mmCIF file of all heavy atoms in Angstrom:
data_model
loop_
_atom_site.group_PDB
_atom_site.id
_atom_site.type_symbol
_atom_site.label_atom_id
_atom_site.label_comp_id
_atom_site.label_asym_id
_atom_site.label_seq_id
_atom_site.Cartn_x
_atom_site.Cartn_y
_atom_site.Cartn_z
ATOM 1 N N PHE A 208 13.168 20.611 13.582
ATOM 2 C CA PHE A 208 13.328 21.877 14.295
ATOM 3 C C PHE A 208 14.629 22.551 13.872
ATOM 4 O O PHE A 208 15.674 21.903 13.774
ATOM 5 C CB PHE A 208 13.327 21.652 15.810
ATOM 6 C CG PHE A 208 12.018 21.167 16.359
ATOM 7 C CD1 PHE A 208 11.814 19.816 16.596
ATOM 8 C CD2 PHE A 208 10.989 22.055 16.618
ATOM 9 C CE1 PHE A 208 10.612 19.359 17.095
ATOM 10 C CE2 PHE A 208 9.782 21.611 17.114
ATOM 11 C CZ PHE A 208 9.584 20.270 17.357
ATOM 12 N N LEU A 209 14.558 23.855 13.673
ATOM 13 C CA LEU A 209 15.734 24.641 13.319
ATOM 14 C C LEU A 209 16.549 24.901 14.582
ATOM 15 O O LEU A 209 16.081 25.563 15.514
ATOM 16 C CB LEU A 209 15.303 25.961 12.675
ATOM 17 C CG LEU A 209 16.419 26.907 12.227
ATOM 18 C CD1 LEU A 209 17.276 26.251 11.161
ATOM 19 C CD2 LEU A 209 15.827 28.211 11.717
ATOM 20 N N VAL A 210 17.765 24.375 14.641
ATOM 21 C CA VAL A 210 18.603 24.519 15.830
ATOM 22 C C VAL A 210 19.745 25.517 15.626
ATOM 23 O O VAL A 210 20.329 25.984 16.604
ATOM 24 C CB VAL A 210 19.178 23.154 16.259
ATOM 25 C CG1 VAL A 210 18.065 22.211 16.662
ATOM 26 C CG2 VAL A 210 20.036 22.546 15.155
ATOM 27 N N LYS A 211 20.059 25.858 14.375
ATOM 28 C CA LYS A 211 21.125 26.819 14.129
ATOM 29 C C LYS A 211 20.875 27.505 12.795
ATOM 30 O O LYS A 211 20.488 26.862 11.817
ATOM 31 C CB LYS A 211 22.489 26.121 14.107
ATOM 32 C CG LYS A 211 23.672 27.072 14.025
ATOM 33 C CD LYS A 211 24.987 26.321 14.100
ATOM 34 C CE LYS A 211 26.173 27.258 14.048
ATOM 35 N NZ LYS A 211 27.463 26.532 14.115
ATOM 36 N N ARG A 212 21.127 28.822 12.787
ATOM 37 C CA ARG A 212 20.897 29.624 11.578
ATOM 38 C C ARG A 212 22.057 30.578 11.406
ATOM 39 O O ARG A 212 22.420 31.292 12.343
ATOM 40 C CB ARG A 212 19.579 30.384 11.700
ATOM 41 C CG ARG A 212 19.322 31.415 10.619
ATOM 42 C CD ARG A 212 17.932 32.006 10.770
ATOM 43 N NE ARG A 212 17.721 33.102 9.838
ATOM 44 C CZ ARG A 212 17.761 34.388 10.166
ATOM 45 N NH1 ARG A 212 18.041 34.751 11.415
ATOM 46 N NH2 ARG A 212 17.537 35.323 9.253
ATOM 47 N N GLU A 213 22.620 30.590 10.191
ATOM 48 C CA GLU A 213 23.730 31.483 9.876
ATOM 49 C C GLU A 213 23.416 32.223 8.584
ATOM 50 O O GLU A 213 23.116 31.595 7.555
ATOM 51 C CB GLU A 213 25.037 30.702 9.716
ATOM 52 C CG GLU A 213 25.522 30.049 11.004
ATOM 53 C CD GLU A 213 26.790 29.238 10.786
ATOM 54 O OE1 GLU A 213 27.065 28.861 9.622
ATOM 55 O OE2 GLU A 213 27.496 28.982 11.777
ATOM 56 N N VAL A 214 23.476 33.542 8.657
ATOM 57 C CA VAL A 214 23.244 34.377 7.483
ATOM 58 C C VAL A 214 24.581 34.622 6.807
ATOM 59 O O VAL A 214 25.522 35.138 7.428
ATOM 60 C CB VAL A 214 22.578 35.709 7.876
ATOM 61 C CG1 VAL A 214 22.368 36.583 6.648
ATOM 62 C CG2 VAL A 214 21.253 35.452 8.585
ATOM 63 N N LEU A 215 24.668 34.237 5.540
ATOM 64 C CA LEU A 215 25.896 34.411 4.769
ATOM 65 C C LEU A 215 25.839 35.699 3.970
ATOM 66 O O LEU A 215 24.781 36.328 3.831
ATOM 67 C CB LEU A 215 26.104 33.220 3.830
ATOM 68 C CG LEU A 215 26.075 31.831 4.471
ATOM 69 C CD1 LEU A 215 26.253 30.761 3.410
ATOM 70 C CD2 LEU A 215 27.137 31.704 5.547
ATOM 71 N N ALA A 216 26.970 36.102 3.450
ATOM 72 C CA ALA A 216 27.017 37.297 2.606
ATOM 73 C C ALA A 216 26.214 37.061 1.337
ATOM 74 O O ALA A 216 26.153 35.950 0.802
ATOM 75 C CB ALA A 216 28.470 37.640 2.268
ATOM 76 N N ASP A 217 25.564 38.136 0.865
ATOM 77 C CA ASP A 217 24.748 38.020 -0.339
ATOM 78 C C ASP A 217 25.599 37.594 -1.526
ATOM 79 O O ASP A 217 26.771 37.961 -1.656
ATOM 80 C CB ASP A 217 24.058 39.345 -0.649
ATOM 81 C CG ASP A 217 23.027 39.713 0.411
ATOM 82 O OD1 ASP A 217 22.704 38.835 1.234
ATOM 83 O OD2 ASP A 217 22.564 40.873 0.406
ATOM 84 N N GLY A 218 24.977 36.824 -2.401
ATOM 85 C CA GLY A 218 25.670 36.360 -3.595
ATOM 86 C C GLY A 218 24.728 35.559 -4.470
ATOM 87 O O GLY A 218 23.616 35.195 -4.056
ATOM 88 N N ALA A 219 25.148 35.311 -5.671
ATOM 89 C CA ALA A 219 24.320 34.555 -6.604
ATOM 90 C C ALA A 219 24.229 33.099 -6.165
ATOM 91 O O ALA A 219 25.206 32.515 -5.687
ATOM 92 C CB ALA A 219 24.896 34.650 -8.022
ATOM 93 N N ALA A 220 23.056 32.525 -6.324
ATOM 94 C CA ALA A 220 22.853 31.130 -5.954
ATOM 95 C C ALA A 220 23.519 30.222 -6.980
ATOM 96 O O ALA A 220 23.442 30.479 -8.188
ATOM 97 C CB ALA A 220 21.367 30.825 -5.877
ATOM 98 N N PRO A 221 24.167 29.158 -6.543
ATOM 99 C CA PRO A 221 24.794 28.230 -7.493
ATOM 100 C C PRO A 221 23.752 27.343 -8.166
ATOM 101 O O PRO A 221 22.547 27.441 -7.900
ATOM 102 C CB PRO A 221 25.736 27.416 -6.608
ATOM 103 C CG PRO A 221 25.054 27.404 -5.281
ATOM 104 C CD PRO A 221 24.378 28.734 -5.145
ATOM 105 N N GLU A 222 24.222 26.477 -9.022
ATOM 106 C CA GLU A 222 23.334 25.532 -9.681
ATOM 107 C C GLU A 222 22.748 24.557 -8.651
ATOM 108 O O GLU A 222 23.397 24.256 -7.642
ATOM 109 C CB GLU A 222 24.080 24.765 -10.769
ATOM 110 C CG GLU A 222 24.526 25.608 -11.934
ATOM 111 C CD GLU A 222 23.350 26.180 -12.709
ATOM 112 O OE1 GLU A 222 22.313 25.482 -12.797
ATOM 113 O OE2 GLU A 222 23.472 27.299 -13.225
ATOM 114 N N PRO A 223 21.528 24.094 -8.870
ATOM 115 C CA PRO A 223 20.938 23.133 -7.925
ATOM 116 C C PRO A 223 21.825 21.903 -7.757
ATOM 117 O O PRO A 223 22.362 21.366 -8.725
ATOM 118 C CB PRO A 223 19.595 22.775 -8.576
ATOM 119 C CG PRO A 223 19.274 23.952 -9.433
ATOM 120 C CD PRO A 223 20.589 24.464 -9.939
ATOM 121 N N GLY A 224 22.001 21.490 -6.515
ATOM 122 C CA GLY A 224 22.837 20.335 -6.222
ATOM 123 C C GLY A 224 24.261 20.679 -5.869
ATOM 124 O O GLY A 224 25.014 19.820 -5.407
ATOM 125 N N SER A 225 24.664 21.950 -6.039
ATOM 126 C CA SER A 225 26.029 22.340 -5.707
ATOM 127 C C SER A 225 26.195 22.447 -4.193
ATOM 128 O O SER A 225 25.291 22.897 -3.484
ATOM 129 C CB SER A 225 26.368 23.683 -6.363
ATOM 130 O OG SER A 225 27.632 24.139 -5.937
ATOM 131 N N ARG A 226 27.353 22.059 -3.700
ATOM 132 C CA ARG A 226 27.659 22.121 -2.267
ATOM 133 C C ARG A 226 28.698 23.200 -1.977
ATOM 134 O O ARG A 226 29.430 23.122 -0.996
ATOM 135 C CB ARG A 226 28.162 20.763 -1.790
ATOM 136 C CG ARG A 226 27.175 19.635 -2.032
ATOM 137 C CD ARG A 226 27.771 18.270 -1.725
ATOM 138 N NE ARG A 226 28.110 18.130 -0.326
ATOM 139 C CZ ARG A 226 27.283 17.687 0.608
ATOM 140 N NH1 ARG A 226 26.031 17.370 0.278
ATOM 141 N NH2 ARG A 226 27.663 17.570 1.867
ATOM 142 N N ARG A 227 28.719 24.220 -2.810
ATOM 143 C CA ARG A 227 29.747 25.250 -2.702
ATOM 144 C C ARG A 227 29.617 26.045 -1.411
ATOM 145 O O ARG A 227 30.615 26.362 -0.754
ATOM 146 C CB ARG A 227 29.635 26.200 -3.899
ATOM 147 C CG ARG A 227 30.681 27.298 -3.944
ATOM 148 C CD ARG A 227 30.294 28.350 -4.968
ATOM 149 N NE ARG A 227 29.113 29.091 -4.538
ATOM 150 C CZ ARG A 227 28.509 30.001 -5.302
ATOM 151 N NH1 ARG A 227 28.940 30.228 -6.529
ATOM 152 N NH2 ARG A 227 27.451 30.649 -4.854
ATOM 153 N N ASP A 228 28.387 26.383 -1.006
ATOM 154 C CA ASP A 228 28.183 27.276 0.119
ATOM 155 C C ASP A 228 28.070 26.553 1.458
ATOM 156 O O ASP A 228 27.839 27.208 2.487
ATOM 157 C CB ASP A 228 26.908 28.099 -0.103
ATOM 158 C CG ASP A 228 27.039 29.018 -1.307
ATOM 159 O OD1 ASP A 228 28.175 29.404 -1.615
ATOM 160 O OD2 ASP A 228 26.007 29.340 -1.926
ATOM 161 N N ILE A 229 28.230 25.261 1.487
ATOM 162 C CA ILE A 229 28.120 24.548 2.755
ATOM 163 C C ILE A 229 29.263 24.930 3.695
ATOM 164 O O ILE A 229 29.081 25.075 4.906
ATOM 165 C CB ILE A 229 28.089 23.025 2.508
ATOM 166 C CG1 ILE A 229 26.768 22.646 1.809
ATOM 167 C CG2 ILE A 229 28.236 22.256 3.805
ATOM 168 C CD1 ILE A 229 26.621 21.174 1.547
ATOM 169 N N PHE A 230 30.446 25.126 3.127
ATOM 170 C CA PHE A 230 31.621 25.424 3.946
ATOM 171 C C PHE A 230 32.043 26.889 3.833
ATOM 172 O O PHE A 230 33.189 27.236 4.127
ATOM 173 C CB PHE A 230 32.787 24.519 3.532
ATOM 174 C CG PHE A 230 32.430 23.053 3.557
ATOM 175 C CD1 PHE A 230 32.170 22.376 2.376
ATOM 176 C CD2 PHE A 230 32.343 22.366 4.757
ATOM 177 C CE1 PHE A 230 31.840 21.032 2.395
ATOM 178 C CE2 PHE A 230 32.011 21.024 4.778
ATOM 179 C CZ PHE A 230 31.756 20.350 3.595
ATOM 180 N N ASP A 231 31.131 27.763 3.423
ATOM 181 C CA ASP A 231 31.443 29.187 3.325
ATOM 182 C C ASP A 231 31.619 29.775 4.730
ATOM 183 O O ASP A 231 30.760 29.610 5.607
ATOM 184 C CB ASP A 231 30.318 29.909 2.589
ATOM 185 C CG ASP A 231 30.712 31.319 2.185
ATOM 186 O OD1 ASP A 231 31.698 31.832 2.756
ATOM 187 O OD2 ASP A 231 30.038 31.888 1.311
ATOM 188 N N ARG A 232 32.730 30.468 4.964
ATOM 189 C CA ARG A 232 33.039 31.018 6.288
ATOM 190 C C ARG A 232 32.615 32.473 6.428
ATOM 191 O O ARG A 232 32.827 33.076 7.489
ATOM 192 C CB ARG A 232 34.527 30.881 6.575
ATOM 193 C CG ARG A 232 35.018 29.439 6.598
ATOM 194 C CD ARG A 232 36.502 29.350 6.904
ATOM 195 N NE ARG A 232 36.956 27.968 6.942
ATOM 196 C CZ ARG A 232 36.919 27.193 8.025
ATOM 197 N NH1 ARG A 232 36.444 27.691 9.168
ATOM 198 N NH2 ARG A 232 37.354 25.958 7.989
#
Side-chain angles (χ1 to χ4, degrees):
F208 294 98
L209 181 62
V210 296
K211 187 176 181 180
R212 171 175 174 257
E213 294 178 339
V214 179
L215 307 178
D217 294 348
E222 294 295 326
S225 174
R226 302 172 64 89
R227 182 193 68 185
D228 296 332
I229 292 181
F230 306 103
D231 193 342
R232 299 181 179 273

